[in-house]
Amino acid sequence: MKSEWIQQTDSLHKAAAPTTEGGEATEQQSHESGAAISVNRQSAAKPKHPYQVLKQLPPDATPAQQDSAIQAAFQPENTHLSTRPDTLHLPGHDKGKSYKDVSLPQYYRETFFAKDTLLHPEIDGGRYGVAGDPVPYTIRGDNTVTLLLLTIVVVALFSFARSRDFIIYQAKEFFKPPRSGQTTEITETSSEFRFQFFLAAQTCLVTSIIAFFYTQQNVADTFILKSQYMLIWIFFGCFVVYFLLKSLLYAVVNSIFFDRKDNSNWQKSLLFLVSAEGVALFPLVMLQSYFNLSLQNAIVYVLVVVVLVKLLTFYKCYVIFFRRNAAYLQNILYFCALEIVPMFSLWGFLVIIVDYLKINF
């Protein structure tokens, strides 16, 4: 079978060779090849499909033999593109340029400083264009502050679940009038005392974040600090120092004019008010951070909370220290000297810090 296929392939190659003058070589080869040359004559009359050529081969024909049969049956023709000019252009206009024409004008190929010895085009001069505006900083997109706020929520809820009875009892005793001219002393455990200190620290953190919001929107948004966290922690430190100094000032003044039991009740009431202030301001931080609460509404919210806390402080101060003597004027002087003046002093100190840290253009 393979010997017959080899003979048939040779005959196809000979049939595909160019004919001599008079066609004598073609006729001689056709008589010698027999049935194979008849197939070649039919292909010259009518081109066959490659499938028909491959079908005539034996089943065990190799790919090389199949390729040889295809090359013998089909001869590729050279295609020459037209060299005639293109006349398809608008009337009254010159013909368009060829796509092969890639020549550039002189002012593109050679600049005015091309012959200058100081020109070094091999040195990178930076990127072209103008840098885009950076995305402004927001608490919503800050993962660190978001994680911190979530931690505060989880710890506060866990602590509240364990000290719920104590908080309710303390709130009731706060508004209860004193009996027989004396206030009721509130006893608290060490865990409850730590919980109140945690809420006081939360108040410092919440007020520092609110101060950061106000500074960023109304004062400046660029500072000489490396990150936004540093400004928040500076505010946090200022509020911690403020509450500690105010507590120390209360302790010094009260130890001079009032007895020990009244001072103890006052310190516990003051710690409760500071903790309640932080709890009341925490929803404002969440609304301002993740729900785009307007700054005007946020300022009103803060003023309402601060005024309410100051009124409660004034009431508790009067009940503990000045109710027995009905000394209204002394209560006002005491409250203004130890509560209002330190608050405005803190505000002025924060303004000085922000003015020193901001970048003035």
Side-chain angles (χ1 to χ4, degrees), residues 242-273:
Y242 164 74
F243 285 113
L244 291 178
L245 290 179
K246 190 173 71 169
S247 178
L248 180 62
L249 184 61
Y250 272 120
V252 173
V253 174
N254 293 341
S255 63
I256 298 174
F257 296 101
F258 308 105
D259 56 13
R260 183 177 180 181
K261 187 176 183 180
D262 291 340
N263 294 337
S264 177
N265 289 334
W266 171 251
Q267 291 292 341
K268 294 176 181 179
S269 300
L270 185 64
L271 184 60
F272 175 76
L273 287 173

Side-chain angles (χ1 to χ4, degrees), residues 156-305:
L157 292 177
F158 178 75
S159 302
F160 179 78
R162 298 187 59 181
S163 306
R164 178 178 55 187
D165 297 335
F166 167 73
I167 295 173
I168 296 174
Y169 171 76
Q170 198 172 21
K172 290 180 179 179
E173 291 295 330
F174 184 87
F175 293 100
K176 185 180 297 186
R179 300 174 183 176
S180 301
Q182 293 183 356
T183 58
T184 304
E185 186 176 359
I186 303 174
T187 58
E188 50 191 25
T189 62
S190 59
S191 61
E192 294 168 348
F193 194 71
R194 288 195 300 268
F195 170 64
Q196 284 190 311
F197 266 104
F198 167 76
L199 291 181
Q202 175 186 341
T203 302
C204 297
L205 180 60
V206 169
T207 50
S208 63
I209 295 176
I210 293 175
F212 173 75
F213 286 157
Y214 179 82
T215 302
Q216 195 177 38
Q217 297 186 25
N218 278 21
V219 182
D221 56 355
T222 54
F223 301 91
I224 59 175
L225 304 173
K226 294 182 179 180
S227 66
Q228 304 290 346
Y229 307 117
M230 297 183 65
L231 184 61
I232 297 177
W233 291 121
I234 289 174
F235 287 155
F236 176 77
C238 292
F239 283 105
V240 169
V241 173
Y242 164 74
F243 285 113
L244 291 178
L245 290 179
K246 190 173 71 169
S247 178
L248 180 62
L249 184 61
Y250 272 120
V252 173
V253 174
N254 293 341
S255 63
I256 298 174
F257 296 101
F258 308 105
D259 56 13
R260 183 177 180 181
K261 187 176 183 180
D262 291 340
N263 294 337
S264 177
N265 289 334
W266 171 251
Q267 291 292 341
K268 294 176 181 179
S269 300
L270 185 64
L271 184 60
F272 175 76
L273 287 173
V274 172
S275 304
E277 185 178 6
V279 173
L281 291 176
F282 185 77
L284 174 63
V285 175
M286 303 299 291
L287 292 174
Q288 187 75 14
S289 301
Y290 304 104
F291 296 96
N292 295 328
L293 182 66
S294 63
L295 184 62
Q296 291 76 12
N297 295 333
I299 293 175
V300 173
Y301 186 96
V302 172
L303 291 178
V304 170
V305 173

Side-chain angles (χ1 to χ4, degrees), residues 102 126 137 142 295 298:
V102 293
Y137 173 81
D142 196 325
L295 184 62

Side-chain angles (χ1 to χ4, degrees), residues 15 20 29 64 101 103 149 260 262 267 288 300 312 320 331:
T20 58
Q29 292 173 0
D101 186 8
S103 60
L149 294 177
R260 183 177 180 181
D262 291 340
Q267 291 292 341
Q288 187 75 14
V300 173
L312 293 176
I320 295 177
N331 187 20

